[in-house]
Amino acid sequence: MTVLQDFWQRLDRRARIGFGAGVVAIAAATAVAGGALLRTDYQVLFADLAPQDAATMTAELDKMKTPYRLAGDGNTILVPAEQVHKTRLKLVGKELPLRGAVGLELFNSSEVGMTEFTQKVNYQRALQGELTRTIQALDEVQSVRVHLVMAEQALFRKQARQAKASVSLALKPGRTLEAAQVQGIQRLVSAAVPDIRPADVTITDQRGLALTRAAAPAGDDVVSGGDGLDDKRAMETYLNKKVMEVLERAFGPGQGIASVDVTLKRDHTKTTTESVLGGANGAVVRERLTTRDNGGQAEPVAASGAQGTVSREADYQVGRKVEQVVSGAGGIARINVAVMLRGGRGQDQLDRIRDLVALAAGADKARGDAVSVYSMDQVAGLPLDPATLTGTHGEPAAGAPAAGMTATAVQAAAPQLPAFGSA
């Protein structure tokens, strides 16, 4: 102690301040290093959890006496770094009811004496849970709820209740489902649950908007308006893309525009054809030859040299062939294609382009399809002469549209364009 006091006395004021600061710095560094060594490093166990899943996992971690922390908005669970993988495997192996549903693991611990009604309810819950997990695996889906109405088989009931399903989806922000994906979910549910047709699966989003079309009533042969409009748009987009590919490859991008209008058949068509088989008289099904001698006794013909009168009796039967051909709704009734090309084109070249466009769009003259191809010079290159529109005193000239005529009347009065392939 005396040595330290002598050392301290020999130091001037500036040295004493430096010595004190050094001691404080060493103590602080030692404390920080000790805290870092003693502090536990927490890493992410699961992130972006739903509230019910986070509650289920934290309850299980409490049972396992595993320390954890919550981060973010409570949807991220942190555990000590050395226990991350071990804890994760334990939780996955416990088959917890994650994502708000239980699956077929519900039957792993079946209770003795379970009634038939309880087994049906558990089976329905298990199916709903498995479908929920499968649908939620899609990248666009954030959460999902599945509700099933199982078919009931009754002995004395004439009509059993039809099985149905409803799926409520919550999509991720900025994500949407394509029509093919919606149909895929319908088929997935239909294939997983007995007695459910794809049309009986209703899918809605988080805003309550139906992603599926309502199924047409049984026996209704008319296509619903929404489905017919969607089919019309899809067909027009497909044919327009084919025509534009031909034009762009032939003349380059931006050298032409095309518009396709498709009229679809709205009704189912059933054609029955009946034809006669076996020729005009029919086919011989039974024949009998008899002979009568002079005494008048009838006997079957036994030999070619028999004497007497020979009679022949034959029975004919006419066969019928009935053929029924059922054409579903959605077939093409008519296709109209309009093409506009840049620059000037000769009439021979326009005719060849018209035939090429007709082949690309699948137009059929026998069906009444129309294909028109014009160049920009033909449509917009020639100025309008006012003299052709009005007479000498301002009255409409012959052939000019009268005042007050509607667009439909003007179109009807205009000369019809020649169909493709005509001279």
Side-chain angles (χ1 to χ4, degrees):
M1 189 64 181
T2 304
V3 177
L4 292 177
Q5 290 179 353
D6 294 341
F7 175 75
W8 182 260
Q9 292 296 333
R10 288 195 300 268
L11 295 176
D12 55 5
R13 184 173 179 275
R14 185 176 180 180
R16 290 178 182 180
I17 294 174
F19 181 77
V23 172
V24 172
I26 294 174
T30 303
V32 171
L37 293 176
L38 298 177
R39 183 182 62 184
T40 304
D41 182 20
Y42 280 80
Q43 294 185 0
V44 176
L45 179 66
F46 292 104
D48 297 331
L49 296 174
Q52 59 269 27
D53 295 343
T56 302
M57 288 190 175
T58 53
E60 190 65 27
L61 291 175
D62 291 335
K63 293 180 181 179
M64 298 168 54
K65 301 185 182 302
T66 301
Y68 65 89
R69 294 178 182 176
L70 297 178
D73 296 332
N75 57 359
T76 302
I77 301 178
L78 307 177
V79 296
E82 64 275 6
Q83 300 182 18
V84 170
H85 302 293
K86 182 179 179 181
T87 305
R88 185 177 296 156
L89 292 177
K90 286 184 178 181
L91 291 177
V92 174
K94 287 182 178 294
E95 296 181 348
L96 299 177
L98 301 179
R99 297 180 177 177
V102 292
L104 294 175
E105 67 274 4
L106 186 63
F107 294 96
N108 291 343
S109 58
S110 300
E111 298 180 1
V112 180
M114 183 181 300
T115 63
E116 182 180 359
F117 176 76
T118 305
Q119 290 181 351
K120 290 183 178 179
V121 172
N122 289 340
Y123 177 68
Q124 182 173 343
R125 290 178 58 197
L127 280 181
Q128 294 178 167
E130 294 294 338
L131 289 173
T132 298
R133 296 173 181 177
T134 303
I135 298 174
Q136 197 165 0
L138 297 176
D139 295 336
E140 295 81 2
V141 178
Q142 185 174 3
S143 62
V144 60
R145 293 289 301 274
V146 178
H147 304 278
L148 300 178
V149 178
M150 308 298 291
E152 292 184 358
Q153 301 295 336
L155 182 60
F156 299 101
R157 184 177 299 177
K158 293 182 179 180
Q159 294 182 352
R161 183 174 64 182
Q162 177 64 36
K164 298 182 179 180
S166 60
V167 181
S168 177
L169 301 176
L171 303 178
K172 296 179 181 179
R175 307 296 294 272
T176 57
L177 289 178
E178 299 179 356
Q181 291 177 302
V182 175
Q183 294 179 1
I185 295 177
Q186 285 184 296
R187 295 182 180 180
L188 173 67
V189 177
S190 174
V193 184
D195 301 328
I196 289 187
R197 300 174 303 177
D200 294 329
V201 180
T202 302
I203 303 176
T204 61
D205 59 5
Q206 64 267 33
R207 297 173 296 174
L209 300 179
L211 304 179
T212 54
R213 296 289 183 181
D220 190 1
D221 293 338
V222 180
V223 181
S224 62
D227 292 340
L229 182 58
D230 291 341
D231 295 340
K232 174 181 171 67
R233 290 175 178 173
M235 182 61 66
E236 289 175 350
T237 302
Y238 171 71
L239 295 180
N240 190 80
K241 182 180 179 181
K242 291 182 63 178
V243 173
M244 288 302 300
E245 287 180 354
V246 173
L247 297 179
E248 289 180 357
R249 287 180 178 272
F251 305 104
Q255 297 300 316
I257 57 176
S259 178
V260 180
D261 181 79
V262 177
T263 302
L264 299 180
K265 298 179 181 178
R266 303 295 302 276
D267 300 330
H268 294 266
T269 304
K270 183 178 181 180
T271 304
T272 302
T273 304
E274 183 175 350
S275 58
V276 179
L277 300 179
N281 297 327
V284 178
V285 295
R286 184 171 58 252
E287 184 179 9
R288 180 181 181 185
L289 297 177
T290 59
T291 181
R292 294 180 180 273
D293 56 6
N294 295 332
Q297 184 178 359
E299 294 181 355
V301 177
S304 59
Q307 301 294 328
T309 304
V310 179
S311 62
R312 179 177 179 270
E313 297 179 359
D315 295 337
Y316 296 88
Q317 186 174 1
V318 178
R320 295 190 309 163
K321 177 183 179 182
V322 179
E323 182 179 2
Q324 292 183 348
V325 179
V326 179
S327 301
I332 297 177
R334 182 180 174 88
I335 298 177
N336 295 325
V337 184
V339 177
M340 180 77 69
L341 299 174
R342 290 183 180 273
R345 309 284 176 179
Q347 189 60 40
D348 294 340
Q349 185 180 9
L350 291 177
D351 292 341
R352 290 192 295 267
I353 296 174
R354 183 177 55 192
D355 295 339
L356 186 63
V357 170
L359 293 176
D364 186 3
K365 291 190 298 183
R367 191 170 51 192
D369 299 346
V371 179
S372 298
V373 180
Y374 289 92
S375 64
M376 191 69 69
D377 294 343
Q378 289 179 311
V379 176
L382 298 177
L384 294 178
D385 187 2
T388 60
L389 301 178
T390 59
T392 57
H393 299 285
E395 70 277 4
M405 292 183 63
T406 62
T408 306
V410 173
Q411 183 178 5
Q416 298 295 324
L417 297 177
F420 71 94
S422 61

